[in-house]
Amino acid sequence: MEKQNYMKPYLRYLKLQRGMSANTLEAYSRDVEKLLHYLDREQKDAATMELEDLQHFAAGLHDIGIGPRSQCRILSGVRSFCRFLQLDGFRDDDPSELLESPQIGDHLPAVLSTEEVDRLEASIDLSKWEGHRNRAIIEVLFSCGLRVSELVTLHLSDLFLEEEFVRVLGKGSKERLVPISKRAIRELHLWFDDRQQMNIKPGEEDYVFLNRRGAHLTRTMILIMIKQQALEARIQKTISPHTLRHSFATALLEGGADLRVIQALLGHEDIGTTEIYTHIDTSALRRAILEHHPRNMVKGDGGL
């Protein structure tokens, strides 16, 4: 079967059965194209390729200088393609089942403490027209753990402030309900007072956050704002809007929330993605071991 004949049904599978967004479809398509080009050069076919072929393909990624993290992403797309081939009857097995990804160190994202988030918000000049808007943006990101893409597409019709939750349209057009804090609600109402004075562009009326021209914000606008406020607040960490999502998840975990609950709130399809938040300060770990491990508890006779 020709390469293009694999791609059409594969992309349809990703869109209809996996519910992937256009950006994700494009990324998966690029990754699988790499594999199919490799198979063409080797005069092999996806329907008959073996584990060894995939291993050679993976080794080639390393040889041309692709980093471990990017290799993992490409191989994730390859595994998805192999599962599709099996599900749609192009082959009887999945040759990627034993395909290993390169080892990469755990990436611990920057996290802000509640005090640092407060400093970030306190650094905002409320005399400017966008002051209350920016405070509301930061508080909603931190209180609800939204992706920045979810924030810029948030609609007034998604807000259920009396019931204290918001409806979020996440990756793959999957909806989830997320509680919203009283503080975030208060900041939103202050922004709405200013928003009512704006001339809003036709078609943009339902967006929660708007720019000075009355159109909805972009991800880049929010990134620039967050970085500028970090400078104003003298926060030394390199942060982005996603940092506030990390901070939300870490605060929940430290407060005792179950990992499955955090997974649902973040909209993660795979619990493995959520497990990155299980990092705990090493000093806290050491203190917990010293205080609670039976080998370290002093017995009544003064011995160990």
Side-chain angles (χ1 to χ4, degrees), residues 41-77:
R41 290 197 307 269
E42 297 296 315
Q43 297 184 331
K44 297 196 175 182
D45 186 82
T48 56
M49 65 183 172
E50 299 177 354
L51 173 62
E52 185 179 9
D53 298 315
L54 295 177
Q55 290 170 333
H56 289 163
F57 168 72
L61 298 176
H62 176 269
D63 291 343
I64 62 176
I66 295 178
R69 197 170 297 279
S70 294
Q71 290 178 46
C72 287
R73 193 207 70 240
I74 292 169
L75 295 180
S76 174

Side-chain angles (χ1 to χ4, degrees), residues 214-277:
H216 68 276
L217 295 174
T218 66
R219 292 185 291 183
T220 302
M221 290 175 184
I222 294 179
L223 173 65
I224 292 170
M225 183 273 286
I226 295 287
K227 287 189 174 295
Q228 180 58 41
Q229 290 311 139
L231 289 174
E232 297 285 343
R234 297 185 179 180
I235 293 173
Q236 302 300 315
K237 300 171 183 175
T238 301
I239 70 169
S240 70
H242 217 64
T243 306
L244 292 161
R245 178 169 159 88
H246 294 319
S247 305
F248 162 84
T250 301
L252 284 178
L253 189 71
E254 291 178 348
D258 183 87
L259 204 60
R260 291 286 179 184
V261 172
I262 299 174
Q263 177 190 5
L265 292 174
L266 292 174
H268 284 163
E269 189 171 338
D270 183 1
I271 189 67
T273 309
T274 316
E275 286 173 349
I276 193 171
Y277 297 108

Side-chain angles (χ1 to χ4, degrees), residues 20-57:
M20 290 185 174
S21 66
N23 287 341
T24 307
L25 284 173
E26 185 180 347
Y28 271 59
S29 177
R30 285 197 306 266
D31 294 340
V32 172
E33 288 283 358
K34 290 182 176 67
L35 172 65
L36 295 177
H37 284 311
Y38 166 79
L39 292 173
D40 279 350
R41 290 197 307 269
E42 297 296 315
Q43 297 184 331
K44 297 196 175 182
D45 186 82
T48 56
M49 65 183 172
E50 299 177 354
L51 173 62
E52 185 179 9
D53 298 315
L54 295 177
Q55 290 170 333
H56 289 163
F57 168 72

Side-chain angles (χ1 to χ4, degrees), residues 6-260:
Y6 282 126
M7 291 305 297
K8 235 181 195 178
Y10 176 55
L11 293 176
R12 188 165 58 244
Y13 157 77
L14 292 180
K15 183 176 182 179
L16 299 180
Q17 295 192 37
R18 299 283 301 277
M20 290 185 174
S21 66
N23 287 341
T24 307
L25 284 173
E26 185 180 347
Y28 271 59
S29 177
R30 285 197 306 266
D31 294 340
V32 172
E33 288 283 358
K34 290 182 176 67
L35 172 65
L36 295 177
H37 284 311
Y38 166 79
L39 292 173
D40 279 350
R41 290 197 307 269
E42 297 296 315
Q43 297 184 331
K44 297 196 175 182
D45 186 82
T48 56
M49 65 183 172
E50 299 177 354
L51 173 62
E52 185 179 9
D53 298 315
L54 295 177
Q55 290 170 333
H56 289 163
F57 168 72
L61 298 176
H62 176 269
D63 291 343
I64 62 176
I66 295 178
R69 197 170 297 279
S70 294
Q71 290 178 46
C72 287
R73 193 207 70 240
I74 292 169
L75 295 180
S76 174
V78 167
R79 289 189 187 90
S80 170
F81 178 62
C82 289
R83 285 194 295 273
F84 154 76
L85 291 175
Q86 185 181 25
L87 286 171
D88 265 40
F90 290 114
R91 55 185 302 144
D92 297 327
D93 63 338
D94 178 353
S96 69
E97 282 184 337
L98 299 178
L99 181 64
E100 295 183 356
S101 291
Q103 293 295 315
I104 55 176
D106 288 337
H107 172 62
L108 302 183
V111 172
L112 296 178
S113 65
T114 303
E115 184 270 334
E116 287 173 319
V117 176
D118 289 343
R119 279 169 50 198
L120 202 62
E121 293 179 358
S123 71
I124 294 171
D125 185 352
L126 295 180
S127 67
K128 295 182 177 180
W129 82 268
E130 72 272 22
H132 284 300
R133 182 202 68 183
N134 291 351
R135 280 262 290 256
I137 286 172
I138 291 172
E139 189 58 37
V140 169
L141 286 171
F142 179 60
S143 294
C144 301
L146 303 189
R147 300 177 178 95
V148 67
S149 57
E150 295 167 346
L151 184 95
V152 297
T153 56
L154 195 64
H155 293 87
L156 296 175
S157 53
D158 295 321
L159 303 180
F160 300 86
L161 300 186
E162 288 190 11
E163 295 83 0
E164 299 184 359
F165 71 85
V166 297
R167 180 176 56 209
V168 181
L169 189 65
K171 287 186 176 181
S173 299
K174 293 181 179 177
E175 286 189 358
R176 67 185 190 277
L177 298 177
V178 180
I180 183 169
S181 69
K182 293 185 185 300
R183 178 160 173 171
I185 292 172
R186 185 168 66 248
E187 296 295 346
L188 280 171
H189 282 307
L190 290 170
W191 155 237
F192 291 156
D193 289 341
D194 295 337
R195 188 182 182 280
Q196 288 176 354
Q197 312 305 316
M198 297 180 65
N199 292 319
I200 300 175
K201 285 188 174 183
E204 305 283 289
E205 296 90 350
D206 197 32
Y207 284 99
V208 174
F209 296 110
L210 305 169
N211 61 27
R212 64 176 64 245
R213 294 181 299 278
H216 68 276
L217 295 174
T218 66
R219 292 185 291 183
T220 302
M221 290 175 184
I222 294 179
L223 173 65
I224 292 170
M225 183 273 286
I226 295 287
K227 287 189 174 295
Q228 180 58 41
Q229 290 311 139
L231 289 174
E232 297 285 343
R234 297 185 179 180
I235 293 173
Q236 302 300 315
K237 300 171 183 175
T238 301
I239 70 169
S240 70
H242 217 64
T243 306
L244 292 161
R245 178 169 159 88
H246 294 319
S247 305
F248 162 84
T250 301
L252 284 178
L253 189 71
E254 291 178 348
D258 183 87
L259 204 60
R260 291 286 179 184

